[in-house]
Coordinates of all heavy atoms in Angstrom, one line a residue:
M1307 N -14.4 -15.1 -10.4 CA -15.2 -14.1 -11.3 C -15.5 -14.8 -12.6 O -14.7 -15.4 -13.2 CB -14.5 -12.9 -11.6 CG -14.6 -11.9 -10.4 SD -14.2 -10.3 -10.7 CE -13.3 -10.1 -12.2
S1308 N -16.8 -14.8 -13.0 CA -17.2 -15.4 -14.2 C -17.0 -14.4 -15.3 O -17.1 -13.2 -15.2 CB -18.7 -15.9 -14.1 OG -19.5 -14.7 -13.9
E1309 N -16.9 -14.9 -16.5 CA -16.7 -14.1 -17.7 C -18.0 -13.4 -18.1 O -19.0 -14.1 -18.4 CB -16.1 -14.9 -18.8 CG -15.5 -14.0 -19.9 CD -14.9 -14.9 -21.0 OE1 -14.6 -16.0 -20.7 OE2 -14.8 -14.4 -22.1
T1310 N -18.0 -12.2 -18.0 CA -19.2 -11.4 -18.3 C -19.0 -10.7 -19.6 O -17.9 -10.3 -19.9 CB -19.7 -10.5 -17.2 OG1 -18.6 -9.7 -16.8 CG2 -20.1 -11.2 -16.0
E1311 N -20.1 -10.4 -20.3 CA -19.9 -9.6 -21.5 C -19.6 -8.2 -21.2 O -20.1 -7.5 -20.3 CB -21.3 -9.6 -22.2 CG -21.2 -9.1 -23.7 CD -22.5 -9.1 -24.3 OE1 -23.4 -9.9 -23.9 OE2 -22.8 -8.3 -25.2
Y1312 N -18.5 -7.8 -21.8 CA -18.0 -6.4 -21.5 C -18.7 -5.4 -22.4 O -18.4 -5.3 -23.6 CB -16.5 -6.4 -21.7 CG -15.8 -5.1 -21.2 CD1 -15.7 -4.9 -19.8 CD2 -15.4 -4.1 -22.1 CE1 -15.2 -3.7 -19.4 CE2 -14.8 -3.0 -21.6 CZ -14.7 -2.8 -20.3 OH -14.2 -1.6 -19.8
V1313 N -19.6 -4.6 -21.8 CA -20.3 -3.6 -22.5 C -19.5 -2.4 -22.5 O -19.0 -1.8 -21.6 CB -21.7 -3.3 -21.8 CG1 -22.5 -2.3 -22.7 CG2 -22.4 -4.6 -21.7
T1314 N -19.2 -1.9 -23.8 CA -18.4 -0.7 -23.9 C -19.2 0.5 -23.5 O -20.2 0.8 -24.1 CB -17.9 -0.6 -25.4 OG1 -17.3 -1.7 -25.8 CG2 -16.9 0.6 -25.5
P1315 N -18.7 1.1 -22.5 CA -19.4 2.3 -22.0 C -19.3 3.5 -23.0 O -18.4 3.5 -23.8 CB -18.7 2.7 -20.7 CG -17.8 1.5 -20.4 CD -17.5 0.9 -21.7
Q1316 N -20.2 4.4 -22.8 CA -20.2 5.5 -23.7 C -19.0 6.4 -23.3 O -18.6 6.5 -22.2 CB -21.4 6.4 -23.4 CG -22.7 5.7 -23.8 CD -22.9 5.7 -25.3 OE1 -22.7 6.7 -26.0 NE2 -23.2 4.6 -25.9
P1317 N -18.4 7.0 -24.4 CA -17.2 8.0 -24.1 C -17.7 9.1 -23.3 O -18.9 9.6 -23.4 CB -16.8 8.4 -25.5 CG -17.4 7.5 -26.4 CD -18.6 6.9 -25.8
V1318 N -16.9 9.6 -22.3 CA -17.2 10.7 -21.5 C -16.3 11.9 -21.8 O -15.2 11.7 -22.2 CB -17.2 10.4 -20.0 CG1 -18.3 9.3 -19.7 CG2 -15.8 9.8 -19.6
P1319 N -16.8 13.1 -21.7 CA -15.9 14.3 -22.0 C -14.7 14.2 -21.0 O -14.8 14.0 -19.8 CB -16.8 15.5 -21.7 CG -18.2 15.0 -21.8 CD -18.1 13.5 -21.3
C1320 N -13.6 14.6 -21.6 CA -12.4 14.7 -20.8 C -12.4 15.9 -19.9 O -12.9 17.0 -20.3 CB -11.1 14.8 -21.7 SG -9.6 14.9 -20.8
N1321 N -11.9 15.8 -18.7 CA -11.9 17.0 -17.8 C -10.6 17.7 -17.8 O -10.4 18.6 -17.1 CB -12.3 16.6 -16.4 CG -11.5 15.4 -15.9 OD1 -10.5 15.1 -16.4 ND2 -12.0 14.8 -14.8
E1322 N -9.7 17.3 -18.6 CA -8.4 17.9 -18.8 C -8.3 18.8 -20.0 O -7.5 19.8 -20.0 CB -7.3 16.8 -18.9 CG -7.0 16.1 -17.6 CD -6.4 17.0 -16.5 OE1 -5.4 17.6 -16.8 OE2 -6.9 17.0 -15.3
C1323 N -9.0 18.5 -21.0 CA -9.0 19.3 -22.2 C -10.4 19.5 -22.7 O -11.2 18.7 -22.5 CB -8.1 18.7 -23.3 SG -8.6 17.1 -23.8
P1324 N -10.6 20.6 -23.4 CA -12.0 20.9 -23.8 C -12.6 20.0 -24.9 O -13.8 19.8 -24.9 CB -11.9 22.4 -24.3 CG -10.5 22.6 -24.6 CD -9.7 21.7 -23.8
A1325 N -11.8 19.5 -25.7 CA -12.3 18.8 -26.9 C -12.3 17.3 -26.8 O -12.9 16.6 -27.6 CB -11.5 19.2 -28.2
G1326 N -11.5 16.8 -25.8 CA -11.2 15.4 -25.8 C -12.4 14.6 -25.2 O -13.2 15.1 -24.5
M1327 N -12.5 13.4 -25.7 CA -13.4 12.4 -25.2 C -12.6 11.3 -24.6 O -11.7 10.8 -25.2 CB -14.4 11.9 -26.2 CG -15.3 13.0 -26.8 SD -16.5 13.6 -25.6 CE -17.7 12.3 -25.6
M1328 N -13.0 10.8 -23.4 CA -12.4 9.7 -22.8 C -13.1 8.4 -23.2 O -14.3 8.2 -23.0 CB -12.3 9.8 -21.4 CG -11.6 11.1 -21.0 SD -11.2 11.3 -19.3 CE -9.8 10.2 -19.1
H1329 N -12.3 7.5 -23.8 CA -12.9 6.2 -24.2 C -12.4 5.1 -23.3 O -11.3 5.1 -22.8 CB -12.4 5.9 -25.6 CG -12.8 6.9 -26.7 ND1 -14.0 6.7 -27.4 CD2 -12.3 8.1 -27.0 CE1 -14.2 7.7 -28.1 NE2 -13.2 8.6 -28.0
A1330 N -13.3 4.1 -23.1 CA -12.9 2.9 -22.3 C -11.9 2.1 -23.1 O -12.1 1.8 -24.2 CB -14.2 2.1 -22.0
R1331 N -10.8 1.8 -22.4 CA -9.8 1.0 -23.1 C -9.3 0.0 -22.1 O -9.4 0.1 -20.9 CB -8.6 1.9 -23.4 CG -8.9 2.9 -24.6 CD -8.5 2.2 -25.9 NE -8.5 3.1 -26.9 CZ -7.5 4.0 -27.2 NH1 -6.4 4.0 -26.5 NH2 -7.6 4.8 -28.2
L1332 N -8.6 -1.0 -22.6 CA -7.9 -2.0 -21.8 C -6.5 -1.7 -21.9 O -5.9 -1.9 -23.0 CB -8.3 -3.4 -22.1 CG -9.8 -3.8 -21.9 CD1 -10.0 -5.2 -22.3 CD2 -10.1 -3.7 -20.4
I1333 N -5.9 -1.3 -20.8 CA -4.5 -1.0 -20.9 C -3.7 -1.9 -19.9 O -4.3 -2.7 -19.2 CB -4.2 0.5 -20.5 CG1 -4.8 0.8 -19.1 CG2 -4.9 1.4 -21.5 CD1 -4.1 1.8 -18.4
T1334 N -2.4 -1.7 -19.9 CA -1.6 -2.4 -18.9 C -1.4 -1.4 -17.7 O -0.8 -0.4 -17.9 CB -0.3 -2.9 -19.5 OG1 -0.5 -3.7 -20.5 CG2 0.5 -3.6 -18.4
Y1335 N -1.8 -1.8 -16.6 CA -1.7 -1.0 -15.4 C -0.4 -1.4 -14.6 O -0.1 -2.5 -14.4 CB -2.9 -1.2 -14.5 CG -2.9 -0.5 -13.2 CD1 -3.2 0.9 -13.2 CD2 -2.7 -1.1 -12.0 CE1 -3.2 1.6 -12.0 CE2 -2.7 -0.4 -10.8 CZ -3.0 0.9 -10.8 OH -3.0 1.6 -9.7
F1336 N 0.3 -0.3 -14.2 CA 1.5 -0.5 -13.4 C 1.3 0.1 -12.1 O 0.8 1.1 -11.9 CB 2.7 0.2 -14.1 CG 3.1 -0.3 -15.4 CD1 2.5 0.2 -16.6 CD2 4.0 -1.4 -15.6 CE1 2.8 -0.2 -17.9 CE2 4.3 -1.8 -16.8 CZ 3.7 -1.3 -18.0
T1337 N 1.7 -0.7 -11.1 CA 1.7 -0.2 -9.7 C 2.8 -0.8 -8.9 O 3.3 -1.8 -9.2 CB 0.3 -0.4 -9.0 OG1 0.3 0.3 -7.8 CG2 0.1 -1.9 -8.8
W1338 N 3.3 -0.1 -8.0 CA 4.3 -0.5 -7.1 C 3.8 -1.1 -5.8 O 2.9 -0.5 -5.1 CB 5.3 0.6 -6.7 CG 6.2 1.0 -7.9 CD1 5.9 1.9 -8.8 CD2 7.4 0.4 -8.2 NE1 6.9 2.0 -9.7 CE2 7.9 1.0 -9.4 CE3 8.2 -0.7 -7.7 CZ2 9.1 0.7 -10.0 CZ3 9.4 -1.0 -8.3 CH2 9.8 -0.3 -9.4
M1339 N 4.2 -2.3 -5.5 CA 3.9 -2.9 -4.2 C 5.2 -3.0 -3.4 O 6.0 -3.9 -3.6 CB 3.3 -4.3 -4.4 CG 1.8 -4.3 -4.5 SD 0.9 -3.8 -3.1 CE 1.1 -5.2 -2.0
G1340 N 5.5 -2.0 -2.6 CA 6.8 -2.1 -1.9 C 7.9 -1.9 -3.0 O 7.9 -0.9 -3.7
D1341 N 8.7 -2.9 -3.1 CA 9.8 -2.8 -4.0 C 9.5 -3.5 -5.4 O 10.3 -3.6 -6.3 CB 11.1 -3.5 -3.5 CG 11.6 -2.7 -2.3 OD1 11.3 -1.5 -2.1 OD2 12.2 -3.4 -1.4
E1342 N 8.3 -4.1 -5.5 CA 8.0 -4.9 -6.6 C 7.0 -4.1 -7.6 O 6.1 -3.5 -7.1 CB 7.2 -6.2 -6.2 CG 8.2 -7.2 -5.7 CD 7.4 -8.5 -5.3 OE1 7.0 -9.2 -6.2 OE2 7.3 -8.8 -4.1
L1343 N 7.4 -4.2 -8.9 CA 6.5 -3.5 -9.8 C 5.5 -4.5 -10.3 O 5.8 -5.6 -10.8 CB 7.4 -3.1 -11.0 CG 6.6 -2.4 -12.1 CD1 5.9 -1.1 -11.6 CD2 7.4 -2.1 -13.3
I1344 N 4.3 -4.2 -10.1 CA 3.1 -5.1 -10.5 C 2.6 -4.6 -11.8 O 2.3 -3.4 -12.0 CB 2.1 -5.1 -9.4 CG1 2.6 -5.3 -8.0 CG2 1.0 -6.1 -9.8 CD1 2.9 -6.8 -7.7
T1345 N 2.4 -5.5 -12.8 CA 1.8 -5.1 -14.0 C 0.6 -5.9 -14.2 O 0.5 -7.1 -14.0 CB 2.7 -5.4 -15.2 OG1 3.1 -6.7 -15.3 CG2 4.0 -4.5 -15.1
V1346 N -0.5 -5.2 -14.5 CA -1.8 -5.9 -14.7 C -2.3 -5.6 -16.1 O -2.7 -4.5 -16.5 CB -2.9 -5.3 -13.7 CG1 -4.2 -6.1 -13.9 CG2 -2.3 -5.4 -12.3
P1347 N -2.1 -6.6 -17.0 CA -2.6 -6.4 -18.4 C -4.1 -6.4 -18.5 O -4.8 -6.9 -17.6 CB -2.0 -7.7 -19.1 CG -1.8 -8.7 -18.1 CD -1.6 -8.0 -16.8
H1348 N -4.6 -5.8 -19.5 CA -6.1 -5.7 -19.8 C -6.8 -5.1 -18.7 O -7.8 -5.6 -18.2 CB -6.6 -7.1 -20.1 CG -5.9 -7.9 -21.2 ND1 -5.6 -7.4 -22.5 CD2 -5.1 -9.0 -21.1 CE1 -4.9 -8.2 -23.1 NE2 -4.6 -9.2 -22.3
F1349 N -6.2 -4.0 -18.2 CA -6.9 -3.3 -17.1 C -7.8 -2.2 -17.6 O -7.4 -1.5 -18.5 CB -5.8 -2.7 -16.2 CG -6.3 -2.2 -14.9 CD1 -6.3 -3.2 -13.8 CD2 -6.7 -1.0 -14.6 CE1 -6.8 -2.8 -12.6 CE2 -7.1 -0.5 -13.4 CZ -7.2 -1.5 -12.4
P1350 N -9.1 -2.2 -17.1 CA -10.0 -1.2 -17.7 C -9.6 0.2 -17.3 O -9.3 0.5 -16.1 CB -11.3 -1.6 -17.1 CG -11.0 -2.4 -15.9 CD -9.7 -3.0 -16.1
A1351 N -9.5 1.1 -18.2 CA -9.2 2.5 -18.0 C -9.9 3.4 -19.0 O -10.5 3.0 -20.0 CB -7.7 2.7 -18.0
W1352 N -9.9 4.7 -18.7 CA -10.4 5.7 -19.6 C -9.3 6.5 -20.2 O -8.4 6.9 -19.4 CB -11.4 6.6 -18.9 CG -12.6 5.9 -18.4 CD1 -12.8 5.2 -17.2 CD2 -13.8 5.8 -19.1 NE1 -14.0 4.7 -17.1 CE2 -14.7 5.0 -18.2 CE3 -14.3 6.2 -20.3 CZ2 -16.0 4.7 -18.6 CZ3 -15.7 5.8 -20.7 CH2 -16.5 5.1 -19.9
V1353 N -9.2 6.5 -21.5 CA -8.1 7.2 -22.1 C -8.7 8.3 -23.0 O -9.5 8.1 -23.9 CB -7.2 6.3 -22.9 CG1 -6.0 7.0 -23.6 CG2 -6.7 5.1 -22.1
C1354 N -8.2 9.5 -22.9 CA -8.6 10.6 -23.7 C -7.9 10.5 -25.1 O -6.7 10.2 -25.2 CB -8.2 12.0 -23.0 SG -8.6 13.4 -24.0
D1355 N -8.7 10.8 -26.1 CA -8.2 10.6 -27.4 C -7.5 11.9 -27.9 O -6.9 12.0 -29.0 CB -9.3 10.3 -28.4 CG -10.5 11.3 -28.4 OD1 -10.4 12.3 -27.7 OD2 -11.5 11.0 -29.1
V1356 N -7.6 13.0 -27.1 CA -6.9 14.2 -27.5 C -5.6 14.4 -26.7 O -4.5 14.5 -27.2 CB -7.8 15.4 -27.4 CG1 -7.1 16.7 -27.6 CG2 -8.9 15.2 -28.3
C1357 N -5.7 14.5 -25.4 CA -4.5 14.7 -24.5 C -3.9 13.5 -23.9 O -2.9 13.5 -23.4 CB -4.9 15.7 -23.4 SG -5.9 15.0 -22.1
G1358 N -4.6 12.4 -24.1 CA -4.0 11.1 -23.6 C -4.1 10.9 -22.2 O -3.5 10.0 -21.6
K1359 N -4.9 11.6 -21.5 CA -5.1 11.5 -20.1 C -5.7 10.1 -19.8 O -6.6 9.7 -20.5 CB -6.0 12.6 -19.5 CG -6.2 12.4 -18.0 CD -7.1 13.5 -17.4 CE -7.5 13.2 -16.0 NZ -6.4 13.0 -15.1
R1360 N -5.2 9.5 -18.7 CA -5.7 8.2 -18.4 C -6.4 8.3 -17.0 O -5.8 8.9 -16.1 CB -4.6 7.2 -18.2 CG -4.0 6.7 -19.6 CD -2.8 5.9 -19.3 NE -2.4 5.3 -20.6 CZ -1.5 4.3 -20.6 NH1 -1.1 3.7 -19.5 NH2 -1.1 3.8 -21.8
E1361 N -7.5 7.6 -16.9 CA -8.1 7.5 -15.6 C -8.5 6.0 -15.5 O -9.2 5.4 -16.4 CB -9.4 8.4 -15.5 CG -9.0 9.7 -14.9 CD -10.3 10.5 -14.7 OE1 -11.4 10.0 -14.6 OE2 -10.1 11.8 -14.7
Y1362 N -8.1 5.4 -14.4 CA -8.4 4.0 -14.2 C -9.8 3.8 -13.7 O -10.3 4.6 -12.9 CB -7.4 3.4 -13.3 CG -5.9 3.5 -13.8 CD1 -5.1 4.4 -13.2 CD2 -5.6 2.9 -15.0 CE1 -3.8 4.6 -13.8 CE2 -4.3 3.0 -15.5 CZ -3.4 3.9 -14.9 OH -2.2 4.1 -15.4
D1363 N -10.4 2.7 -14.0 CA -11.7 2.4 -13.6 C -11.7 2.2 -12.0 O -10.9 1.5 -11.5 CB -12.1 1.1 -14.2 CG -13.6 0.8 -14.0 OD1 -13.9 0.1 -12.9 OD2 -14.4 1.2 -14.8
E1364 N -12.5 2.9 -11.4 CA -12.6 3.0 -9.9 C -12.8 1.6 -9.4 O -12.2 1.2 -8.4 CB -13.6 4.0 -9.4 CG -13.1 5.3 -9.2 CD -14.1 6.2 -8.6 OE1 -14.9 5.7 -7.7 OE2 -14.3 7.4 -9.0
K1365 N -13.8 0.9 -9.9 CA -14.1 -0.4 -9.4 C -12.9 -1.4 -9.6 O -12.6 -2.2 -8.7 CB -15.3 -0.9 -10.1 CG -16.6 -0.6 -9.5 CD -17.8 -1.2 -10.2 CE -18.5 -0.2 -11.0 NZ -19.6 -0.7 -11.9
A1366 N -12.3 -1.2 -10.8 CA -11.1 -2.1 -11.0 C -10.0 -1.8 -10.0 O -9.3 -2.7 -9.6 CB -10.7 -2.0 -12.4
I1367 N -9.8 -0.5 -9.8 CA -8.7 -0.1 -8.8 C -9.0 -0.7 -7.4 O -8.1 -1.2 -6.8 CB -8.7 1.4 -8.8 CG1 -8.0 2.0 -10.0 CG2 -7.9 1.9 -7.5 CD1 -6.5 1.8 -10.1
S1368 N -10.3 -0.6 -7.0 CA -10.5 -1.1 -5.6 C -10.4 -2.6 -5.6 O -10.0 -3.1 -4.6 CB -12.0 -0.6 -5.2 OG -12.9 -0.9 -6.1
W1369 N -10.8 -3.2 -6.7 CA -10.7 -4.7 -6.8 C -9.2 -5.0 -6.7 O -8.7 -5.9 -6.0 CB -11.3 -5.2 -8.1 CG -10.9 -6.6 -8.5 CD1 -11.4 -7.7 -8.0 CD2 -9.9 -6.9 -9.5 NE1 -10.9 -8.8 -8.6 CE2 -9.9 -8.3 -9.5 CE3 -9.1 -6.2 -10.3 CZ2 -9.1 -9.1 -10.3 CZ3 -8.3 -7.0 -11.1 CH2 -8.2 -8.3 -11.1
L1370 N -8.4 -4.3 -7.5 CA -6.9 -4.6 -7.4 C -6.3 -4.3 -6.1 O -5.5 -5.1 -5.6 CB -6.3 -3.7 -8.5 CG -4.8 -4.0 -8.7 CD1 -4.5 -5.4 -9.3 CD2 -4.1 -2.9 -9.6
T1371 N -6.8 -3.2 -5.5 CA -6.2 -2.9 -4.2 C -6.5 -4.0 -3.2 O -5.8 -4.3 -2.3 CB -6.8 -1.5 -3.7 OG1 -6.6 -0.6 -4.7 CG2 -6.2 -1.1 -2.4
M1372 N -7.8 -4.5 -3.3 CA -8.2 -5.6 -2.4 C -7.3 -6.8 -2.7 O -6.9 -7.5 -1.7 CB -9.6 -5.9 -2.6 CG -10.2 -6.8 -1.6 SD -11.9 -7.3 -2.2 CE -11.4 -8.4 -3.4
L1373 N -7.0 -7.1 -3.9 CA -6.2 -8.2 -4.3 C -4.8 -8.1 -3.7 O -4.2 -9.0 -3.2 CB -6.1 -8.3 -5.8 CG -7.1 -9.2 -6.5 CD1 -6.6 -9.4 -8.0 CD2 -7.2 -10.6 -5.9
L1374 N -4.3 -6.9 -3.8 CA -2.9 -6.7 -3.4 C -2.7 -6.3 -2.0 O -1.6 -6.2 -1.5 CB -2.3 -5.5 -4.3 CG -2.2 -5.8 -5.8 CD1 -1.6 -4.6 -6.5 CD2 -1.3 -7.0 -6.1
S1375 N -3.9 -6.1 -1.3 CA -3.8 -5.7 0.1 C -3.2 -6.8 0.9 O -3.4 -8.0 0.7 CB -5.2 -5.4 0.6 OG -5.4 -6.1 1.8
P1376 N -2.3 -6.5 1.8 CA -1.6 -7.5 2.7 C -2.6 -8.3 3.5 O -2.3 -9.4 3.8 CB -0.7 -6.7 3.6 CG -0.7 -5.3 3.0 CD -1.9 -5.1 2.2
D1377 N -3.7 -7.7 3.8 CA -4.7 -8.5 4.6 C -5.4 -9.5 3.8 O -5.7 -10.6 4.3 CB -5.8 -7.5 5.2 CG -5.1 -6.5 6.1 OD1 -4.0 -6.8 6.6 OD2 -5.7 -5.4 6.3
A1378 N -5.7 -9.2 2.5 CA -6.4 -10.2 1.7 C -5.5 -11.3 1.1 O -5.9 -12.4 0.8 CB -7.1 -9.5 0.6
G1379 N -4.2 -10.9 0.9 CA -3.3 -11.8 0.3 C -2.6 -12.8 1.2 O -3.1 -13.0 2.4
R1380 N -1.5 -13.3 0.7 CA -0.8 -14.3 1.6 C -0.2 -13.6 2.8 O 0.1 -12.4 2.7 CB 0.3 -14.9 0.8 CG 1.3 -13.8 0.3 CD 1.6 -14.0 -1.2 NE 2.1 -12.7 -1.7 CZ 3.3 -12.5 -2.2 NH1 4.1 -13.5 -2.4 NH2 3.6 -11.3 -2.6
P1381 N -0.2 -14.3 3.9 CA 0.2 -13.7 5.1 C 1.7 -13.7 5.3 O 2.2 -13.9 6.4 CB -0.5 -14.5 6.2 CG -0.6 -15.8 5.6 CD -0.7 -15.7 4.1
T1382 N 2.4 -13.6 4.3 CA 3.9 -13.6 4.3 C 4.4 -12.3 5.1 O 3.9 -11.3 4.9 CB 4.6 -13.7 3.0 OG1 4.0 -12.7 2.1 CG2 4.4 -15.0 2.4
H1383 N 5.4 -12.6 5.8 CA 5.9 -11.5 6.6 C 7.1 -11.0 5.9 O 8.1 -11.7 5.8 CB 6.3 -12.0 8.0 CG 6.1 -11.0 9.0 ND1 4.9 -10.6 9.5 CD2 7.1 -10.3 9.8 CE1 5.1 -9.7 10.5 NE2 6.4 -9.5 10.6
R1384 N 7.1 -9.8 5.4 CA 8.3 -9.3 4.7 C 9.1 -8.6 5.8 O 8.8 -7.6 6.4 CB 7.8 -8.2 3.7 CG 9.0 -7.5 3.1 CD 8.5 -6.6 2.0 NE 8.2 -7.3 0.8 CZ 8.6 -6.9 -0.4 NH1 9.2 -5.8 -0.5 NH2 8.3 -7.6 -1.4
H1385 N 10.3 -9.2 6.0 CA 11.1 -8.7 7.0 C 12.3 -8.0 6.4 O 12.9 -8.5 5.4 CB 11.5 -9.7 8.1 CG 12.2 -10.9 7.4 ND1 13.6 -11.1 7.5 CD2 11.8 -12.0 6.8 CE1 13.9 -12.2 6.9 NE2 12.8 -12.7 6.4
R1386 N 12.6 -6.9 6.9 CA 13.7 -6.1 6.4 C 15.0 -6.8 6.8 O 15.1 -7.5 7.8 CB 13.7 -4.7 7.0 CG 12.5 -4.0 6.5 CD 12.4 -2.7 7.2 NE 11.2 -1.9 6.7 CZ 11.4 -1.0 5.7 NH1 12.5 -0.8 5.1 NH2 10.3 -0.4 5.3
K1387 N 16.0 -6.5 6.0 CA 17.4 -7.0 6.4 C 17.9 -6.2 7.6 O 17.8 -5.0 7.7 CB 18.3 -6.8 5.2 CG 18.2 -7.8 4.1 CD 19.2 -7.6 3.1 CE 19.1 -8.6 1.9 NZ 19.9 -8.2 0.8
P1388 N 18.3 -7.0 8.6 CA 18.8 -6.3 9.8 C 20.1 -5.5 9.4 O 20.8 -5.9 8.5 CB 19.1 -7.4 10.7 CG 19.3 -8.6 9.9 CD 18.4 -8.4 8.7
H1389 N 20.2 -4.4 10.0 CA 21.4 -3.5 9.8 C 22.6 -4.2 10.5 O 22.8 -4.1 11.7 CB 21.1 -2.1 10.3 CG 22.2 -1.2 9.9 ND1 23.1 -0.8 10.8 CD2 22.4 -0.6 8.8 CE1 23.9 0.1 10.2 NE2 23.6 0.2 9.0
L1390 N 23.4 -4.8 9.7 CA 24.5 -5.5 10.2 C 25.7 -4.5 10.4 O 25.9 -3.6 9.5 CB 25.0 -6.6 9.3 CG 24.0 -7.8 9.1 CD1 24.5 -8.7 8.0 CD2 23.9 -8.6 10.4
P1391 N 26.3 -4.7 11.5 CA 27.6 -3.9 11.6 C 28.6 -4.3 10.6 O 28.7 -5.5 10.2 CB 28.0 -4.2 13.1 CG 27.4 -5.5 13.4 CD 26.1 -5.6 12.6
R1392 N 29.4 -3.4 10.2 CA 30.4 -3.7 9.2 C 31.4 -4.7 9.8 O 31.9 -4.4 10.9 CB 31.1 -2.4 8.8 CG 31.9 -2.5 7.6 CD 32.4 -1.2 7.1 NE 31.3 -0.6 6.3 CZ 31.5 0.4 5.5 NH1 32.7 0.9 5.3 NH2 30.5 1.0 4.8
P1393 N 31.6 -5.8 9.1 CA 32.5 -6.8 9.7 C 33.9 -6.3 9.7 O 34.4 -5.7 8.7 CB 32.3 -8.0 8.8 CG 31.9 -7.4 7.5 CD 31.0 -6.2 7.8
R1394 N 34.6 -6.6 10.8 CA 36.0 -6.2 10.9 C 36.9 -7.2 10.2 O 36.7 -8.4 10.4 CB 36.4 -6.0 12.3 CG 35.7 -4.9 13.0 CD 36.3 -4.6 14.4 NE 35.9 -3.3 14.8 CZ 36.7 -2.2 14.9 NH1 38.0 -2.3 14.5 NH2 36.2 -1.0 15.3
T1395 N 37.7 -6.8 9.3 CA 38.5 -7.7 8.5 C 39.9 -7.8 9.1 O 40.8 -8.2 8.4 CB 38.5 -7.3 7.0 OG1 38.8 -5.9 7.0 CG2 37.2 -7.5 6.4
G1396 N 40.1 -7.3 10.2 CA 41.4 -7.3 10.8 C 42.2 -6.1 10.4 O 41.8 -5.4 9.5
P1397 N 43.3 -5.9 11.0 CA 44.1 -4.7 10.7 C 44.7 -4.9 9.3 O 45.1 -6.1 9.0 CB 45.1 -4.8 11.8 CG 45.2 -6.2 12.3 CD 43.8 -6.7 12.1
A1398 N 44.8 -3.9 8.6 CA 45.4 -3.9 7.2 C 46.8 -4.1 7.3 O 47.4 -4.8 6.5 CB 45.0 -2.7 6.5
H1399 N 47.4 -3.5 8.2 CA 48.9 -3.6 8.4 C 49.1 -4.2 9.8 O 48.9 -3.6 10.8 CB 49.6 -2.2 8.3 CG 49.2 -1.6 7.0 ND1 49.8 -1.9 5.9 CD2 48.4 -0.5 6.8 CE1 49.3 -1.1 4.9 NE2 48.5 -0.2 5.4
A1400 N 49.5 -5.4 9.7 CA 49.8 -6.1 11.0 C 51.1 -5.6 11.5 O 52.2 -6.0 11.0 CB 49.8 -7.6 10.8
A1401 N 51.0 -4.7 12.4 CA 52.3 -4.2 13.0 C 52.8 -5.1 14.1 O 52.1 -5.4 15.0 CB 52.0 -2.8 13.6
P1402 N 53.9 -5.6 13.9 CA 54.5 -6.5 15.0 C 54.7 -5.7 16.3 O 55.3 -4.6 16.2 CB 55.8 -7.0 14.3 CG 56.2 -5.9 13.3 CD 54.9 -5.4 12.8
E1403 N 54.4 -6.4 17.3 CA 54.5 -5.7 18.6 C 56.0 -5.8 19.0 O 56.6 -6.9 18.9 CB 53.6 -6.3 19.6 CG 52.1 -6.1 19.3 CD 51.3 -6.2 20.5 OE1 51.8 -6.2 21.6 OE2 50.1 -6.2 20.3
S1404 N 56.4 -4.8 19.5 CA 57.9 -4.8 19.9 C 57.9 -4.9 21.5 O 57.0 -4.5 22.1 CB 58.6 -3.6 19.5 OG 57.9 -2.4 19.8
Ligands
LIG1565 ZN1 -8.2 15.2 -22.8

C-alpha cells in the first residue's frame, strides 16, 4: 500500500447519544486471534466525543480481517496439544509382596 494523504472525514452524529459527534481518530485496535492478542496501532476508528463510543472503520476492519485470515496468511498448522494420559509414577508405597 502506498502512502496516501489521509483526508479527515467530517464528524458524524453519534447513534448512541443525542449530542455526541463521532470523530475520525487513529486508535490502537485490539483483537484476539485464537490465543494471541493482536494490537494494531494507528487504526482508523470513529470515537464519540461525548459518550466515547468507538466504531472501527469498516474498510480497515475488512482489511485487517483479510490480513489475519488463515487463508491469506502463512499456512502454518496450529495443532493442539494432544491430550496425554496422566503418566503413572509408580506406586507411592511400595508394598513388599509376601
Ligand atoms: Zn456518543
